[in-house]
Amino acid sequence: MTKEKELVFGHKNPDTDAVVAAISYSHLQNELGFNTEAVALGEPNEETKYVFDKFDYKYPRIVTAANGEVKSVMLVDHNESQQSLDDIGDLQVTHVVDHHRIANFETTSPLYYRAQPVGCTSTILWEMYNEEDVEVPGNLAALMASAIISDTLLLKSPTTTDEDKAALKSLSKTAGIDYESYGLDMLKAGTNLDSKSTKELIDMDAKSFEMNGKNVRIAQVNTVDIDETLKREAEFTADIKSENKSEGYNLFVLLITNILTSDTTGLVLGDENAVSVFENALNTKVEDNKASLPGVVSRKKQVVPPLNEKF
Amino acid sequence: MTKEKELVFGHKNPDTDAVVAAISYSHLQNELGFNTEAVALGEPNEETKYVFDKFDYKYPRIVTAANGEVKSVMLVDHNESQQSLDDIGDLQVTHVVDHHRIANFETTSPLYYRAQPVGCTSTILWEMYNEEDVEVPGNLAALMASAIISDTLLLKSPTTTDEDKAALKSLSKTAGIDYESYGLDMLKAGTNLDSKSTKELIDMDAKSFEMNGKNVRIAQVNTVDIDETLKREAEFTADIKSENKSEGYNLFVLLITNILTSDTTGLVLGDENAVSVFENALNTKVEDNKASLPGVVSRKKQVVPPLNEKF
């Protein structure tokens, strides 16, 4: 008896881990007897494109809603419904593998849920492959290693755990790559912002959060030169203001992160109250819409929790 | 360096699994280097008392709030905040091991979360002991076997999975018990309702659910003779009506379950609309406040999901 088909996917505005984790979880589940297809909820970003080109891997089919194609789904690398398929409310979630906080997530039935506070979903999946004694194919190992490099900024982000280190080492070995040199090339490929409009950049790796009734949008771009990126500050500011208006965001934060020095400058725009909450939460001053955030590289660990606390 | 102390506990109105899972998870975590204490959110029911007496095990300390005693906690056998410590909103949840739906649960930070759609939390914990290569002490194995017998009604509930069967067999062997004969004695001990007032019986194994803004309370008592239990119907009805009023429940369902025949009669009282939703969801008629529910034994699998769907 063939199981009923399910879709597996990561969050909207996919980054490398969101897409790769969907592929690797789908592969694992199919090996275990499920009938799944990995899909992506959006186009690849520059870094993800570099990874899929480099290892000659086919990017998954892009969907934004299930539209009755399946009844049930498996989520990776997210759980909050506003980051998921548009019609997630009509679907049964049977499995989740994630490394984020849990919020805005509710099911009517028991499910399989596995979250671990590690740097990358692909690290958890690597552990699951080991537990189930399923081999990771070489080119998939390269993708999973890339996802870990991406999420942990080459193991330098404060979200990095010993498990991420072990996973990256093992997967790099399987894939036959030198993760130090490859990782730097890959991260730099992701900082090539010139080909993107500022509108595209503030959408690219943006996530929405509901915090005590307020709509908070947090985007992040990686760079090797913050000043260079800020040459387009006026355009960024205009685009964010217009998006706050059209989407009803109370607060928009664009984190511009230098991946070499692990520092961030935040462009912070929104309701006066919300901006004060941000200053208070991040212990910083917003001047000319900009806040200096030395040592901050992780939205998930260093920005969302204090903001959520203060709201 | 000693880790900061955390409390581990199951839901309010604890049943055998809620208390036993707290004890066994606390033991496992302490073996792995955490600093935890298992506590219970209420007095033991008749069945749980029988189990702890039988294997001469000390019932955990009872608390209803952390009151600043700890900053962070680990939940077992529940996640919905209304089933948890009164001050759960002030505490950081670092770990959850559960087998229920996820709802009314939100964290600000990433956490360890493990849910599997199996019959009993103790089954998941048995798997975790195996994965971590930690031995289950003999008397704890007897408690964990009891929890599985309790939650799956001796493997007869539709929630029962192959994993529950494997866990019960293995744990019974470790504990040196014949689970068939012991299990029946234990379940019967839990159906001794005579010493309890109807008020106590409708509270004993009751859980609250928020369903689309409605407050739904579902209680369950096990019996070997439904007619016998219903001799006190007038008292049950009066107590439920008074509780609906004082607690603002829109719907109260008391499931009176015959553990030998696996059938249930529901006492159903609440707003007219809510009672219709119940009839519709469970495909039954409520007459004189009573509904026949043949083959229904599991609140979690056979009552909560259809009700939630229809609300």
Side-chain angles (χ1 to χ4, degrees):
Chain A
M1 197 188 71
T2 317
K3 292 223 184 194
E4 201 168 315
K5 184 178 166 183
E6 299 184 60
L7 295 179
V8 186
F9 48 85
H11 52 79
K12 281 179 176 163
N13 292 328
D15 57 9
T16 302
D17 189 36
V19 181
V20 168
I23 294 171
S24 69
Y25 194 35
S26 173
H27 178 81
L28 176 64
Q29 292 293 69
N30 291 348
E31 289 287 313
L32 297 176
F34 288 90
N35 173 15
T36 72
E37 178 193 355
V39 293
L41 303 200
E43 298 283 348
N45 65 27
E46 288 293 318
E47 180 197 275
T48 309
K49 224 181 278 170
Y50 175 89
V51 171
F52 277 73
D53 283 352
K54 172 102 184 168
F55 298 104
D56 202 17
Y57 215 99
K58 196 174 172 303
Y59 193 77
R61 180 163 70 98
I62 297 175
V63 301
T64 55
N67 289 326
E69 189 190 334
V70 294
K71 288 195 210 100
S72 54
V73 296
M74 305 183 183
L75 315 186
V76 293
D77 198 32
H78 76 296
N79 64 83
E80 305 194 33
S81 55
Q82 73 281 7
Q83 299 168 5
S84 201
L85 277 183
D86 292 339
D87 54 359
I88 190 71
D90 305 330
L91 299 161
Q92 192 189 357
V93 178
T94 63
H95 293 71
V96 180
V97 181
D98 191 19
H99 67 133
H100 295 89
R101 70 167 189 158
I102 298 177
N104 259 314
F105 179 78
E106 181 157 328
T107 65
T108 57
S109 293
L111 73 162
Y112 180 95
Y113 199 111
R114 177 153 172 169
Q116 292 172 217
V118 296
C120 182
T121 309
S122 292
T123 297
I124 306 172
L125 285 161
W126 170 74
E127 292 182 358
M128 292 169 72
Y129 271 84
N130 290 343
E131 287 163 15
E132 298 290 352
D133 235 337
V134 174
E135 214 174 305
V136 183
N139 51 355
L140 184 53
L143 263 60
M144 291 169 76
S146 303
I148 298 172
I149 292 164
S150 170
D151 265 20
T152 65
L153 292 179
L154 243 178
L155 307 179
K156 282 197 306 189
S157 163
T159 57
T160 309
T161 65
D162 287 344
E163 289 146 285
D164 298 302
K165 291 176 193 165
L168 178 54
K169 271 170 202 161
S170 162
L171 289 163
S172 301
K173 207 174 156 194
T174 307
I177 55 174
D178 170 354
Y179 68 82
E180 297 275 6
S181 66
Y182 163 68
L184 212 55
D185 289 347
M186 186 201 100
L187 289 176
K188 275 188 192 155
T191 65
N192 175 14
L193 308 178
D194 295 343
S195 64
K196 300 274 181 195
S197 71
T198 50
K199 178 83 190 75
E200 286 171 319
L201 290 174
I202 66 166
D203 278 341
M204 206 168 63
D205 177 20
K207 288 183 183 174
S208 294
F209 300 89
E210 200 204 301
M211 297 187 184
N212 198 18
K214 300 292 179 190
N215 292 317
V216 178
R217 181 84 165 169
I218 309 178
Q220 186 165 28
V221 294
N222 290 340
T223 178
V224 288
D225 185 343
I226 291 178
D227 288 340
E228 177 68 30
T229 307
L230 277 176
K231 281 190 180 155
R232 291 197 270 172
E233 180 181 342
E235 273 175 273
F236 278 123
T237 305
D239 287 334
I240 291 174
K241 278 186 177 163
S242 126
E243 195 151 302
N244 277 357
K245 209 165 173 182
S246 65
E247 305 295 324
Y249 299 134
N250 302 98
L251 180 69
F252 196 116
V253 181
L254 172 65
L255 304 167
I256 303 168
T257 299
N258 185 325
I259 56 161
L260 303 179
T261 64
S262 299
D263 291 318
T264 289
T265 294
L267 254 182
V268 184
L269 291 119
D271 306 346
E272 205 175 308
N273 276 344
V275 173
S276 306
V277 170
F278 177 88
E279 288 182 319
N280 193 355
L282 276 296
N283 200 14
T284 185
K285 273 277 154 218
V286 177
E287 279 166 27
D288 288 337
N289 309 320
K290 288 191 299 296
S292 168
L293 301 165
V296 169
V297 296
S298 167
R299 167 172 48 196
K300 185 172 67 131
K301 194 150 183 167
Q302 296 172 296
V303 180
V304 172
L307 255 186
N308 202 58
E309 206 99 319
K310 295 294 176 185
F311 263 110
Chain B
M1 198 187 71
T2 317
K3 291 222 184 194
E4 202 168 316
K5 185 179 165 181
E6 299 184 59
L7 296 180
V8 185
F9 48 85
H11 52 80
K12 280 180 178 163
N13 292 327
D15 56 10
T16 302
D17 189 38
V19 181
V20 169
I23 293 172
S24 68
Y25 194 36
S26 173
H27 179 80
L28 176 63
Q29 292 292 68
N30 291 348
E31 289 288 313
L32 298 176
F34 288 89
N35 173 15
T36 72
E37 178 192 356
V39 292
L41 304 200
E43 297 285 346
N45 64 28
E46 288 294 317
E47 179 197 276
T48 309
K49 225 181 277 171
Y50 175 88
V51 172
F52 277 73
D53 282 353
K54 172 102 183 167
F55 298 104
D56 202 18
Y57 216 98
K58 197 175 170 305
Y59 193 78
R61 180 164 69 98
I62 296 174
V63 303
T64 55
N67 289 324
E69 189 191 332
V70 294
K71 288 195 210 101
S72 54
V73 295
M74 305 183 183
L75 314 187
V76 293
D77 198 32
H78 76 295
N79 64 83
E80 305 194 33
S81 56
Q82 74 280 6
Q83 299 168 5
S84 201
L85 277 183
D86 292 339
D87 54 359
I88 189 71
D90 304 331
L91 299 161
Q92 192 190 355
V93 178
T94 62
H95 294 70
V96 180
V97 181
D98 191 18
H99 67 133
H100 295 90
R101 71 167 189 158
I102 299 177
N104 258 315
F105 179 79
E106 180 157 331
T107 64
T108 56
S109 292
L111 73 163
Y112 179 96
Y113 200 110
R114 177 155 172 169
Q116 292 171 216
V118 295
C120 182
T121 309
S122 292
T123 298
I124 307 171
L125 284 161
W126 171 75
E127 292 181 359
M128 292 169 73
Y129 271 84
N130 289 343
E131 287 163 15
E132 299 289 352
D133 234 338
V134 173
E135 215 175 305
V136 183
N139 51 356
L140 183 54
L143 263 61
M144 291 169 76
S146 304
I148 297 172
I149 292 163
S150 170
D151 267 19
T152 64
L153 292 178
L154 242 176
L155 307 179
K156 283 199 303 189
S157 163
T159 57
T160 310
T161 65
D162 288 343
E163 288 146 288
D164 298 302
K165 291 175 192 165
L168 178 54
K169 272 170 202 161
S170 162
L171 289 163
S172 299
K173 205 174 157 196
T174 307
I177 56 173
D178 170 354
Y179 68 82
E180 298 275 6
S181 66
Y182 163 67
L184 213 54
D185 289 347
M186 186 202 100
L187 289 176
K188 277 189 191 153
T191 66
N192 176 13
L193 309 177
D194 296 343
S195 64
K196 299 276 182 194
S197 71
T198 51
K199 177 84 190 76
E200 286 170 320
L201 289 175
I202 66 166
D203 277 342
M204 206 169 62
D205 178 20
K207 288 184 183 174
S208 293
F209 300 89
E210 200 205 298
M211 297 186 184
N212 197 20
K214 300 290 179 191
N215 292 317
V216 178
R217 181 85 164 168
I218 308 179
Q220 185 165 28
V221 294
N222 289 340
T223 178
V224 287
D225 184 344
I226 291 179
D227 289 338
E228 177 68 29
T229 308
L230 278 176
K231 282 190 180 153
R232 290 197 272 172
E233 181 183 343
E235 273 175 271
F236 277 125
T237 305
D239 286 335
I240 291 174
K241 278 185 176 164
S242 125
E243 194 152 301
N244 278 356
K245 208 165 174 183
S246 65
E247 303 297 323
Y249 299 134
N250 300 99
L251 181 69
F252 196 116
V253 181
L254 173 65
L255 304 166
I256 303 169
T257 298
N258 185 325
I259 56 162
L260 303 179
T261 63
S262 298
D263 292 317
T264 289
T265 294
L267 255 181
V268 184
L269 291 119
D271 306 346
E272 206 175 306
N273 276 345
V275 173
S276 306
V277 171
F278 178 87
E279 288 182 320
N280 193 355
L282 275 295
N283 199 15
T284 185
K285 274 276 152 219
V286 177
E287 278 165 30
D288 288 337
N289 308 321
K290 288 191 296 297
S292 170
L293 301 165
V296 169
V297 296
S298 166
R299 166 171 51 198
K300 186 172 65 132
K301 193 148 182 168
Q302 297 172 295
V303 181
V304 172
L307 255 187
N308 202 59
E309 205 99 321
K310 295 293 176 185
F311 264 111

